[in-house]
Amino acid sequence: MGRMFGKDGFRGLAVTELTCEIAMQIGRAAAAVMAAPKDGKTRILVGKDVRSSSDALEAAVCAGICSAGADAELLGAVPTPALAWQIKERSAQGGIMITASYVNSEFNGIKLFSHYGYRLSDDREDDIERLVREVPAEILPIPRRIYGRSQYIENAADDYIEHIKEIAPADLSGMKIAVDCANGSASLTAQRIFTELGAEAVMMGDKPDGANINICGSTHIDELMELVIKEKCCCGIAFDGSGERCLAVDENGCLVDGDVIIAACARAMKEQDKLRHNTIMVSQANNLGLIQFARNSGIGVSAAPAGERAMIRRMLECGYSLGGDPMGQVLFADDAVSSDGQLTGIRLLEVLKDFGGKMSELSAIIEKWPQVMLNVPITRRFREVWKNDRAVISVIDEFEEILGEEGRVVVREIGREPVIRIRIEGQDFSTINAMALQIADTIKERMELRD
């Protein structure tokens, strides 16, 4: 049985895999693990996205929290970054966000946050998982005269809007932009944020019905590309269902991904002496074009494992102010405790306005290297074993040596169902495509021999 909480929390088919019973147990266990010091009252903030299953899971989580004697403070439907910010703002002991981020509506998930507003550490998540899976008797309700209470926090989305405008008081006047909210939580806040900062916002994906989340937005950006051209906007910005990610589209309808956003913001922050330690944080997912841009610009690069939690922890340890991935999960550590798509959108638009040119010209800041990615499903018997298979390791080592500093080979196991992801970057597409196919064929051959 795999770990309950992955890098994006606990996720599954809503009410089927992530059942209300499990949600209640997680709420009860979280109240125990996040408990306030002795004689203090434990308060846990609860937020949710706009998918139809979130109400049922919210009720279950709150039942668990209150049955453990802690108070649940409900923010209602808000972007995930709003919950992360409010935890520290309200001096709560932690937070629980009910969201499956960029995944379709039939799924839902639970993300846990510490009292600082950062994602909860692996160790504390393991403590919660142990209580839920191994020793549930330790979190059974005990007879008591006073249980926890649920309290609804009014105007949580409005407070978040004012907070974003306060930390990013950009002047976006004169900019006509298209904004795709993915029919998610940003639908509640984005139009006000960008119009009140002066932009003319053409909205789409801003009418959530509980079932249409993420049918557009950063994971399905084609409609935004068409809208930008149709409405003659200077650019478009797209969020995911939880408001954590941001991607953009230039005036010609071409994608502007997280690598470009990081590069543009890094250069501007360096010029303003705001790029701490003159370094950006990246992961293996970032394109080598971003790394080359940083080298050419005199900017340092530091690597972190994939995932927001690992990246923000590393950024805090090293004192860096900017990092992120190509999927639009960008971290501005001086301003926010989590990735925030709407903050990222403001920062990018601010850079574009100061640049004075077109988004397509700003995007030319980096030259993307060709990249090939293949997924190879494997049998459970081959899980982790492939890492020690001589034939597999030999072909990977050979290609790494051939590419040297002119490319990169990343082969890793991902997901709950065994899948090996092969990703190769290099200057010549034909070469790296042949390499990826050969690695995939070698893995398949070695599996057949073991079956």
Side-chain angles (χ1 to χ4, degrees):
M1 183 179 295
R3 190 172 182 269
M4 177 183 287
F5 296 98
K7 67 178 183 180
D8 285 316
F10 181 27
R11 185 180 293 162
L13 285 169
V15 190
T16 303
E17 295 173 342
L18 174 52
T19 64
C20 291
E21 290 78 10
I22 291 175
M24 182 174 67
Q25 289 176 315
I26 290 175
R28 189 178 292 150
V33 172
M34 298 177 181
K38 191 176 181 180
D39 299 329
K41 186 64 174 179
T42 300
R43 297 165 43 247
I44 297 176
L45 301 193
V46 180
K48 61 184 177 181
D49 69 17
V50 295
R51 64 192 76 214
S52 59
S53 59
S54 292
D55 287 353
L57 294 172
E58 174 194 55
V61 164
C62 291
I65 292 171
C66 294
S67 71
D71 288 348
E73 299 186 359
L74 282 64
L75 302 184
V78 291
T80 297
L83 172 80
W85 163 65
Q86 286 275 19
I87 293 169
K88 189 173 182 180
E89 187 75 5
R90 295 182 178 276
S91 301
Q93 276 65 55
I96 298 176
M97 185 71 193
I98 301 164
T99 181
S101 300
Y102 56 87
V103 180
N104 291 345
S105 62
E106 61 267 30
F107 294 87
N108 215 325
I110 291 177
K111 292 185 177 183
L112 304 169
F113 294 81
S114 75
H115 65 288
Y116 291 112
Y118 299 115
R119 289 286 303 280
L120 202 65
S121 68
D122 289 339
D123 290 345
R124 300 192 78 194
E125 282 189 348
D126 288 343
D127 290 340
I128 292 172
E129 181 170 344
R130 185 186 68 85
L131 290 172
V132 172
R133 281 185 167 176
E134 298 177 19
V135 286
E138 291 186 16
I139 55 170
L140 289 176
I142 59 175
R144 63 175 85 226
R145 298 187 64 180
I146 299 177
Y147 291 90
R149 296 180 179 273
S150 290
Q151 175 185 357
Y152 287 89
I153 305 300
E154 300 292 337
N155 305 316
D158 292 338
D159 291 343
Y160 169 71
I161 290 170
E162 295 306 315
H163 168 67
I164 289 294
K165 289 161 53 184
E166 181 180 343
I167 64 173
D171 176 10
L172 305 182
S173 58
M175 304 185 79
K176 182 179 181 181
I177 61 172
V179 181
D180 185 349
C181 298
N183 291 313
S185 299
S187 303
L188 309 172
T189 55
Q191 184 169 19
R192 274 191 56 193
I193 287 173
F194 290 99
T195 56
E196 290 179 15
L197 289 174
E200 179 185 349
V202 180
M203 304 299 297
M204 68 168 285
D206 61 336
K207 296 177 175 57
D209 63 11
N212 61 357
I213 192 169
N214 291 318
I215 64 170
C216 51
S218 62
T219 53
H220 298 87
I221 206 165
D222 292 355
E223 289 185 41
L224 179 64
M225 293 173 170
E226 295 173 2
L227 182 65
V228 167
I229 296 172
K230 177 183 177 182
E231 295 291 336
K232 298 180 180 178
C233 298
C234 69
C235 66
I237 51 177
F239 310 116
D240 69 340
S242 64
E244 296 172 273
R245 291 167 172 79
C246 174
L247 296 178
V249 172
D250 71 18
E251 76 282 359
N252 300 316
C254 297
L255 176 66
V256 178
D257 69 6
D259 287 326
V260 177
I261 294 171
I262 293 166
C265 291
R267 185 172 69 176
M269 292 170 69
K270 177 180 171 67
E271 292 172 352
Q272 299 163 9
D273 199 26
K274 293 181 179 179
L275 188 65
R276 282 196 277 124
H277 301 298
N278 195 36
T279 299
I280 58 173
M281 179 68 69
V282 300
S283 71
Q284 289 183 334
N286 294 89
N287 190 275
L288 284 174
L290 175 61
I291 313 301
Q292 190 63 50
F293 154 80
R295 290 172 181 163
N296 295 340
S297 304
I299 294 173
V301 176
S302 183
E308 180 194 60
R309 175 167 46 192
M311 184 166 285
I312 192 66
R313 184 180 301 135
R314 178 74 173 152
M315 290 177 70
L316 291 171
E317 290 171 354
C318 300
Y320 300 140
S321 52
L322 177 64
D325 65 31
M327 285 71 75
Q329 199 163 31
V330 182
L331 291 155
F332 294 90
D334 290 338
D335 300 314
V337 293
S338 67
S339 57
D340 188 322
Q342 291 168 94
L343 173 62
T344 300
I346 295 170
R347 293 296 188 210
L348 177 62
L349 293 173
E350 195 173 24
V351 170
L352 177 62
K353 186 170 184 180
D354 290 342
F355 174 68
K358 298 179 179 179
M359 179 67 86
S360 59
E361 296 168 341
L362 180 63
S363 299
I365 191 172
I366 69 173
E367 182 179 350
K368 287 297 191 74
W369 288 32
Q371 185 179 89
V372 174
M373 186 165 65
L374 297 176
N375 287 337
V376 182
I378 60 173
T379 61
R380 291 187 178 274
R381 288 178 57 198
F382 206 52
R383 189 164 208 164
E384 299 296 326
V385 175
W386 65 272
K387 295 179 180 179
N388 297 312
D389 186 283
R390 289 186 179 181
V392 174
I393 299 305
S394 177
V395 71
I396 293 172
D397 289 344
E398 178 187 351
F399 292 153
E400 286 180 336
E401 185 175 350
I402 291 172
L403 291 173
E405 294 186 358
E406 299 302 315
R408 178 168 56 182
V409 180
V410 179
V411 183
R412 63 190 182 96
E413 202 171 296
I414 64 167
R416 293 184 179 181
E417 291 302 318
V419 172
I420 296 177
R421 173 165 293 171
I422 303 162
R423 183 165 53 82
I424 305 182
E425 291 175 79
Q427 297 284 18
D428 181 70
F429 175 80
S430 297
T431 299
I432 63 173
N433 188 55
M435 288 177 171
L437 290 171
Q438 188 170 337
I439 293 174
D441 288 342
T442 302
I443 291 171
K444 293 173 185 176
E445 290 170 4
R446 299 303 293 174
M447 279 197 303
E448 289 174 1
L449 290 173
R450 288 177 178 271
D451 284 341

